[in-house]
Amino acid sequence: MAAPLPLPETADPTFAELLALRPHLSLHAMDGLMMEEVPLARIAKEIGTPAWVYSAGALRHRARSLKAALAHAGLTATVHFAMKCNDNLAVLKVLGAEGLGADVVSGGELHIARAAGIPASAIVFSGVGKTLGELRQALAEDIFQINAESAEEIDMISAVAAEMGRTARVALRVNPDVDAKTHAKITTGKSENKFGVALSDAADIYARMAALPGIAPVGIATHIGSQITAGMSAYRAAYARLAELAKALRADGLPVERIDCGGGLGISYRDEPAPSPEALAGAIRASLGELDLPVMLEPGRWIAGPAGVLLASVVLQKQGAAHRFVVVDAAMNDLVRPSMYEAWHGIVPLSSVRATAPLAESEVVGPVCETGDTFARGRLLPSLQPGDAIAFLDAGAYGAVMSSTYNARPLAPEVLVDGTNFAVVRGRQPLDALLHGQNVPEWLTT
């Protein structure tokens, strides 16, 4: 079982400080915690808890801010939302309407992107283990770009394309061997990581790719990690290496039409510094601008993370031998990040009365039978009674998509807020669905 989360070394931000950095959230004296113009307590009461809630306004604002930063830097750029962080149809509809495409890593994500109305001409397929079936699906849809991650995958793409009589637009993903200084489980640009081809091999592999049937080489790609908050130095180093590679490929007469810069821009969950989209755009411009090529970005967390919360209700407050435990009805099967990554999420009561009450250290835990089902240790919270509701902040990315039915706990519903409106955009999983697809062999029934 996972160890409990470590205690923070410095004081946590206050409720007011947390909300000040999240303009789509506010604390109303009467209605409590609001998302846009909807009281979250109303959603908790009508829909029940646990429940995911997303702000359409926050999604739009962040998508526009990123696009504006790229344009202001003078970059010709397209943005492809990394669906692995949130694949909800309604979320994709909002972002698609803002002109964002999709970055997918499975046939399932490709299917959802198309169902959400994302045009195939705006879809990039990434990932180290695309199957033959997924490659056929991508080619049948005629998507914008496939990011190949190995010489072996390039052979697969060529064979499938030739078999189907199609031409695949392929970018070669390069591993620049740059440490993004992020969590070890989400770094992707170091030489020991499974992603991409070694920089030293990239030119030869690209030349070989250009000679294969069924492939149109379109450029080079990289992605150095997720939740990058350590400044722009890693990005600059990675992009500088891509620039040198692009120049070498062009000198050899090989086509390079665009550069895929990946994603990974981090957000501030607690009080850590978070780089701005303007800083990222500046790093791209400084490192790649002289190539005069279009660039692509594949952000996920930066757009969707702050836009979502997970609502939960207090089951009971328990005084243990050493700690006060606040047991809530959400669990690690819903939000696994604290258990998997030791991640910190802000926790805010929905009630304005509770939010202004005296605070004491609390352990916030779920009902799953694992010690690892711990959301927070030593967190300053008011006394919370059964039925009181709380919100886990910044849960719009790597939240619902990573949830499971562990302990036979049904998947929580998802709700979209837009101004004064809200709607359930994925219903709560019924208990009978936990049995769907299961069968008892005949010999056990006789």
Side-chain angles (χ1 to χ4, degrees), residues 121-352:
S121 59
I123 296 177
V124 181
F125 201 142
S126 303
V128 300
K130 307 175 195 73
T131 66
L132 290 173
E134 288 173 327
L135 291 173
R136 292 188 185 99
Q137 180 187 2
L139 287 168
E141 291 279 1
D142 192 25
I143 67 169
F144 182 64
Q145 179 173 299
I146 297 173
N147 286 347
E149 305 226 9
S150 65
E152 294 80 0
E153 182 186 355
I154 290 168
D155 288 339
M156 291 171 61
I157 296 170
S158 175
V160 170
E163 166 197 306
M164 296 177 65
R166 297 291 185 103
T167 298
R169 290 176 288 274
V170 181
L172 180 64
R173 178 170 176 177
V174 177
N175 186 319
D177 194 20
V178 168
D179 186 357
K181 305 297 183 184
T182 187
H183 194 286
K185 292 182 180 178
I186 51 177
T187 188
T188 59
K190 297 169 66 176
S191 60
E192 64 262 34
N193 299 143
K194 66 182 179 180
F195 301 95
V197 303
L199 188 64
S200 58
D201 298 331
D204 289 342
I205 292 174
Y206 198 92
R208 181 175 173 275
M209 178 173 73
L212 289 173
I215 291 182
V218 295
I220 50 180
T222 195
H223 180 73
I224 59 173
S226 184
Q227 183 53 10
I228 298 171
T229 59
M232 291 294 109
S233 59
Y235 280 120
R236 286 176 178 268
Y239 297 155
R241 293 173 189 180
L242 257 63
E244 292 304 311
L245 174 60
K247 292 174 187 176
L249 294 174
R250 283 171 151 181
D252 288 339
L254 294 166
V256 180
E257 299 177 11
R258 50 187 178 257
I259 305 292
D260 187 336
C261 297
L265 193 63
I267 62 174
S268 177
Y269 284 96
R270 187 167 173 254
D271 52 8
E272 63 272 37
S276 67
E278 289 79 10
L280 178 59
I284 295 171
R285 181 71 185 175
S287 303
L288 299 171
E290 65 178 310
L291 297 176
D292 195 27
L293 288 174
V295 298
M296 303 160 56
L297 270 78
E298 291 147 6
R301 185 195 314 266
W302 191 87
I303 289 175
V309 301
L310 173 63
L311 302 183
S313 294
V314 175
V315 177
L316 56 86
Q317 188 171 259
K318 168 185 172 181
Q319 184 59 54
H323 302 289
R324 175 178 68 138
F325 293 94
V326 177
V327 184
V328 299
D329 61 0
M332 62 185 292
N333 74 290
D334 300 302
L335 181 60
V336 74
R337 295 190 69 256
S339 178
M340 180 177 288
Y341 302 124
E342 301 82 41
W344 193 98
H345 283 265
I347 301 173
V348 178
L350 301 196
S351 163
S352 58

Side-chain angles (χ1 to χ4, degrees), residues 6 46 64 83 127 270 279 290 311 333 379 397 403 405 426:
E46 294 187 18
R64 292 171 188 176
M83 278 180 58
R270 187 167 173 254
E290 65 178 310
L311 302 183
N333 74 290
R379 191 69 62 89
S403 57
T405 58
R426 178 179 287 162

Side-chain angles (χ1 to χ4, degrees), residues 42-124:
R42 179 182 168 194
I43 294 176
K45 182 178 179 180
E46 294 187 18
I47 310 302
T49 55
W52 307 94
V53 189
Y54 310 123
S55 163
L59 292 167
R60 293 188 187 104
H61 172 73
R62 297 183 77 81
R64 292 171 188 176
S65 296
L66 178 57
K67 291 175 67 177
L70 296 167
H72 184 73
L75 297 168
T76 300
T78 55
V79 179
H80 307 262
F81 177 65
M83 278 180 58
K84 58 182 173 287
C85 83
N86 190 315
D87 62 11
N88 184 274
L89 275 177
V91 168
L92 296 175
K93 279 284 189 182
V94 171
L95 296 177
E98 294 299 317
L100 270 60
D103 171 51
V104 306
V105 294
S106 71
E109 287 189 354
L110 174 55
H111 180 73
I112 294 172
R114 296 295 288 122
I118 305 293
S121 59
I123 296 177
V124 181

Side-chain angles (χ1 to χ4, degrees), residues 344-396:
W344 193 98
H345 283 265
I347 301 173
V348 178
L350 301 196
S351 163
S352 58
V353 174
R354 295 285 187 253
T356 55
L359 307 177
E361 286 192 355
S362 309
E363 315 285 296
V364 183
V365 301
V368 160
C369 292
E370 299 225 15
T371 303
D373 186 22
T374 299
F375 292 111
R377 292 190 62 220
R379 191 69 62 89
L380 290 175
L381 291 171
S383 179
L384 295 168
Q385 302 306 311
D388 284 345
I390 60 173
F392 293 94
L393 306 186
D394 306 315

